[in-house]
Amino acid sequence: MKVRSKTIVVVALPGVQLLDVCGPLDVFAEANAQVGREEYRLAVTAIEPGPVRSSSGVRLVADCIIGDDEDEAIDTLLVAGRPNAAVSPVDDAVVAWLRRRAPTARRFGSVCSGAFFLAAAGLLGGKRVTTHWAVAEELARQFPDVMVDAEAIHIADGALRTAAGVTAGLDLALSLVEEDLGHEVARKVASQLVMFFKRPGGQLQFSRKGVAALPGRSALQELQRWVAANPGLNHSVANLARRMDLSTRHFSRLFRNEVGVTPASWVEDARVNAARRRLELGQEMPKQVAAFCGFADADTLRRAFVRHVGVSPAEYRKRFSKLGA
C-alpha cells in the first residue's frame, strides 16, 4: 500500500537566512533517500511571486505563495529566520496566514529568528521556545508571555517545534525524522550528512557576549572592565565595594539594580568568558586556566563552565581551540 507523503513547508521571507531553509530540507530529502520512498514532500512558500532574495544575496524560487495553498494539508510548517527579524516589521498577510495555517498542521515551528514571526502571530504565548542566542533576550522582551530558553538547541512543546541559531535547524529536522521514521533511519541520515546525531552541549557554547556594551553608570562600567581584564584577582563583594569607595550593602544594591545580576554572578560570568578565551588558544590545560582566571581549582572551573557554557572545559578546548585536542 502506498504511504501518503508528509508535506513539509518552509516559509522563506525576503532576507531569509539561506541555511534556515535548505538545511532542514536536505535532512528531510536524505530521509527520503534512506527509506527509498517519498516520505516527505518538500516545498518552500514565499509571500509574493518571483525569486526570494536571501541574506547572502542568493535567490530562491518558491514552490507556492502564501494564501494560494489553503486547501492543501500541511504536515509540518516551519518558518525560517532572517538576520533582522528582531527589528523588522512583520507583514500582516504573513501573520494572518500563520494564524490560519499553523494550527491546522500536525507540527509547526521555527528555525533561528523565525520564532519572531510565530510570536507576532500569537502562536507562542505560554510556550517554551528557543531561538538564536543573540536575539533570545529580545524575543523575551518583546513577547513576555513566551518562555525563552537561550541554551536549548531545539525544543518540542506540544505541536510546536523551535530551533536555535541557523545550523540548529538541521538538528531540529533530524529530531522530526526520528519522530516519524525511528532511531535507525535518523542515525543513517546524520551519518550521511556528517552531522551529530545528538549535538553535545547547548548553543551557549557558541555565544559571544562581549564587554563592549556594559550596563550601568560609568563607574560601574569601569569596574566591570577592570574585573574582565584581571579575572584572577580577589573580586569579593567587599573588595569591589572598596574599589568604588562604597559600603558593601550600598554597592551590592547599586550593582544589582543597574547591571541586573549580583556582583558574584557577574564576576563568575566574566571569569568563565576569560577561561573560554584561554581555552581557545589551546596552550594551557584546564588546571592552568582555572588558576589564571581566579577559580579555586579545576573542579570549580568545570562546574561554573558547565553552568554557563553547557560543556566541560576539556570538551570546549577540544572543540574550539586553535590547536585542537
Side-chain angles (χ1 to χ4, degrees), residues 113-183:
S113 59
F116 282 87
F117 304 121
L118 293 179
L123 297 167
L124 301 186
K127 298 291 188 179
R128 179 171 169 261
V129 308
T130 191
T131 186
H132 194 292
W133 62 265
V135 295
E137 289 184 5
E138 182 62 20
L139 180 64
R141 188 192 68 79
Q142 290 186 29
F143 304 97
D145 60 336
V146 179
M147 295 178 285
V148 182
D149 185 344
E151 164 69 354
I153 295 293
H154 57 83
I155 290 176
D157 188 338
L160 176 66
R161 306 289 192 275
T162 52
V166 196
T167 61
L170 283 83
D171 301 81
L172 173 61
L174 189 64
S175 74
L176 300 181
V177 169
E178 185 178 17
E179 282 183 28
D180 297 338
L181 302 177
H183 183 87

Side-chain angles (χ1 to χ4, degrees), residues 164-211:
V166 196
T167 61
L170 283 83
D171 301 81
L172 173 61
L174 189 64
S175 74
L176 300 181
V177 169
E178 185 178 17
E179 282 183 28
D180 297 338
L181 302 177
H183 183 87
E184 190 57 34
V185 172
R187 277 201 173 278
K188 289 179 179 177
V189 170
S191 177
Q192 186 63 31
L193 296 181
V194 196
M195 60 180 287
F196 284 113
F197 177 63
K198 300 290 184 184
R199 192 194 301 228
Q203 68 166 330
L204 291 187
Q205 63 188 297
F206 302 101
S207 71
R208 278 291 177 268
K209 295 182 179 179
V211 295

Side-chain angles (χ1 to χ4, degrees), residues 226-237:
W226 177 73
V227 171
N230 302 278
L233 298 181
N234 180 0
H235 295 308
S236 67
V237 175

